[in-house]
Amino acid sequence: MFYEATAPANIALIKYMGKKDEHLNKADNASISYTLAHLKSRVRLEADPLLRQDVWSALVANALYPLPLSELGQARFLKHLIRMKERFAYTGFFRVQSANSFPHAAGLASSASSFAALTLAANEALSQLTGLPPLSNSELADLSRQASGSSCRSFYAPWALWDETGVHGYALPYTQLTHQVFLISSEEKAVSSSEAHRRVLTSPYYEGRGFRVAERLEHLLRALKQQQWATAYQLCFDEFQDMHQLFETAKDPFSYRVDATFKILDYLQAFWKQEGDGPLVTMDAGPNIHVLYRLDQNALQKRIQDKIEQEGWAYVA
Ligand code: DP6
């Protein structure tokens, strides 16, 4: 008997960066994300009475891209399954398989969607196997957060706000946006986001981060509610620059931004300056650039795409 679930990725506009509690993944600041419904992870669980431990393998199926998960990645994944089993007091073992609806080379982090999908599949499997009631969406988001912070936002769509009270859906007038990634590198990052959360604490700019980010979040929510797209763009841009500055000024500094990153960012900024319009732009803990367009920006999106192709940069939609 198989238990399967899928969950989407999400892209934060105000970033979760820095933790109050590393074991429970309690964030130092509130974050907001847009859920990427087209970028999903799928997890399949099979209870096997012959197993003496949980085992992971890549899921091979049509229209799915098996993800290469390192030993460490597998251990982290299976550790979350143990957390879920403990919640249901279940002592059996599972074959765990997972894959993404997008290629690994797409330069997208899949930890949020993977852990959210595992949490959902485990809830399904464990409630059926134990006869206990399934957990609520908010309990699931809370458990998933303990595995990977950003995954808790994948339980709500299209917008998720994660603050000190928990994670919630958040109503905003932009309910459907088009997401693209300008792909600069799909290589494994030298510094993982979990490590980045640790190192930013040593930046001299971290002290003022809480204040800056709280104010920026408030302004961004207001701008999005009032459909002030240009203001939202500026706030999103400031936010990822703020985060990357923390990386680059940490005691043991590191940077994800390379020449091509700056070239594309310069181009997007010049586009905005000339047109007074453009996409929202953001970056995660990596070199790739994420853009979000409104649906009425089709013509403008086409022009930017053409330029990206002309310059020989790849984009993933
Ligand atoms: C830069 O959720 O990957 O993408 O909790 O250690 O698993 P862990 O970190 P993770 O951090 C994501 C950081 C970010 C910003 C964001 O998504 O908010």
Side-chain angles (χ1 to χ4, degrees), residues 16 18-28 76 79 83 145-149 192-199 201:
Y16 150 52
K19 301 179 190 181
K20 265 193 192 60
D21 180 328
E22 219 194 305
H23 299 290
L24 293 173
N25 287 335
K26 293 231 160 121
D28 244 353
R76 188 176 169 208
K79 190 172 159 205
R83 179 182 286 118
R145 189 205 71 230
Q146 295 175 40
S148 180
S192 69
S193 49
S194 299
E195 176 63 17
H197 283 289
R198 254 172 246 133
R199 290 212 213 163
L201 307 181

Side-chain angles (χ1 to χ4, degrees), residues 10 12 14-17 19 25 31 76 111 145 147-151 153 193-194 197 243 284-285:
N10 68 75
I14 296 292
K15 310 288 178 180
Y16 150 52
M17 187 43 60
K19 301 179 190 181
N25 287 335
S31 57
R76 188 176 169 208
S111 77
R145 189 205 71 230
S148 180
S150 56
S151 74
R153 297 187 308 237
S193 49
S194 299
H197 283 289
M243 181 177 75
D284 269 346

Side-chain angles (χ1 to χ4, degrees), residues 148-175:
S148 180
S150 56
S151 74
C152 73
R153 297 187 308 237
S154 285
F155 288 79
Y156 297 88
W159 295 95
L161 178 71
W162 173 20
D163 62 16
E164 72 284 353
T165 67
V167 60
H168 318 274
Y170 197 85
L172 287 169
Y174 301 108
T175 54

Side-chain angles (χ1 to χ4, degrees), residues 174-191:
Y174 301 108
T175 54
Q176 226 190 324
L177 298 171
T178 303
H179 170 258
Q180 287 184 343
V181 189
F182 299 150
L183 189 61
I184 288 155
S185 169
S186 56
E187 274 171 32
E188 190 73 37
K189 302 182 282 194
V191 179

